[in-house]
Amino acid sequence: AGRVVSYAEFGARVAVLARELIAVGVGPEVAVGVSSERSVEFVVAVHAVVAAGGQYVPLDTAAPLERVGYM
């Protein structure tokens, strides 16, 4: 089983990361790649990208670096 977080903690973490993403230019029509194993951090990252207005692009952690770079 994975780590458990409350809705309040989850929402706070999403909000912090979303603000950071917006500060570096994430917004409409900006794709953000997320490469992570399934975890709380992964779900926070995906939600933060969407909250910032960006587009989530899943990147396979097992893919060769050349493929990830292309994506």
Side-chain angles (χ1 to χ4, degrees), residues 2-3 6 10-11 16 21 25 31 40 42-43 48 50 56 59-60 63 66:
R3 186 168 158 247
S6 68
F10 176 77
V16 167
L21 291 170
V40 170
F42 170 79
V43 178
V50 174
Y56 156 66
L59 300 175
D60 184 359
E66 296 80 27

Side-chain angles (χ1 to χ4, degrees), residues 22-46:
I22 291 167
V24 297
V26 173
E29 299 188 31
V30 175
V32 179
V34 177
S35 176
S36 174
E37 297 296 324
R38 302 292 173 157
S39 64
V40 170
E41 290 74 20
F42 170 79
V43 178
V44 167
V46 171

